[in-house]
Amino acid sequence: FEKGQMVAWHGKEVLDYWSSDQCNTITGRDPSGLPLLVTKSDTMNLFIGQICRPLIFQFEKDVTVDDEFEALRFVPQVNSLSGPDQVPENQCYCLEEPCLPSGLLDISGCQPGSPIYMSWPHFLHADPKVIDGVQGLAPDEAKHSFIIDMLPVRTFDH
């Protein structure tokens, strides 16, 4: 296994939350073991325990943090929570037919005892019928994205 690669979650080497072996296979890194230095071309496959599945983060843009540090901003792929009609490999995250609209993920199996649907804030990247169904929402990537800012690889002159 690659250093930092998840091999078990809550004592399970294979999950039983999702509808296929592919999605129940634990993949990705533990987010607490992020690589220290990254480049714009890197992607990060991170296992997010609260939703019992991995998300792939990719470079979005250069940012300045606290007017002091240059960083690389990584965000989950836009289609991370898309339904199987848009991303066929997400079929295994559909626990009941009909599947939830894009932008919603049923994590009740992952969070026992609670019927929970997960989404990005303001239903960012969700199917328009989800957003239109709630008054007052205004999804905005600048405000509602899940972000990770990382220090870039630097070369130092000696």
Side-chain angles (χ1 to χ4, degrees):
F1 287 102
E2 178 186 328
K3 186 177 180 183
Q5 179 74 27
M6 294 283 296
V7 294
W9 176 249
H10 288 201
K12 296 179 181 180
E13 292 181 11
V14 177
L15 304 176
D16 57 6
Y17 310 124
W18 309 114
S19 64
S20 80
D21 291 343
Q22 176 188 343
C23 286
N24 280 316
T25 301
I26 297 172
T27 62
R29 299 177 78 87
D30 176 350
S32 67
L34 288 173
L36 294 179
L37 300 171
V38 295
T39 66
K40 293 177 183 181
S41 63
D42 289 331
T43 58
M44 294 183 284
N45 182 1
L46 304 177
F47 184 85
I48 310 299
Q50 292 80 358
I51 62 173
C52 300
R53 63 165 285 192
L55 294 176
I56 297 174
F57 287 75
Q58 59 194 21
F59 173 75
E60 180 189 43
K61 63 183 178 181
D62 293 296
V63 295
T64 302
V65 179
D66 295 332
D67 295 326
E68 191 172 339
F69 298 101
E70 298 297 318
L72 305 178
R73 175 154 296 163
F74 287 81
V75 296
Q77 292 176 327
V78 170
N79 64 1
S80 295
L81 301 182
S82 292
D85 56 327
Q86 294 176 9
V87 180
E89 56 269 22
N90 283 351
Q91 178 66 45
C92 57
Y93 298 117
C94 175
L95 299 181
E96 293 182 16
E97 293 292 337
C99 296
L100 293 172
S102 285
L104 298 174
L105 178 66
D106 182 350
I107 59 171
S108 352
C110 168
Q111 302 292 333
S114 300
I116 299 175
Y117 293 166
M118 184 271 196
S119 72
W120 302 126
H122 285 252
F123 296 123
L124 181 67
H125 307 305
D127 186 302
K129 68 183 174 189
V130 174
I131 298 165
D132 295 343
V134 181
Q135 291 181 349
L137 295 181
D140 179 346
E141 286 196 54
K143 296 177 183 175
H144 304 126
S145 290
F146 181 2
I147 63 169
I148 298 175
D149 290 339
M150 302 284 295
L151 294 177
V153 171
R154 301 230 188 258
T155 57
F156 297 98
D157 296 325
H158 296 309

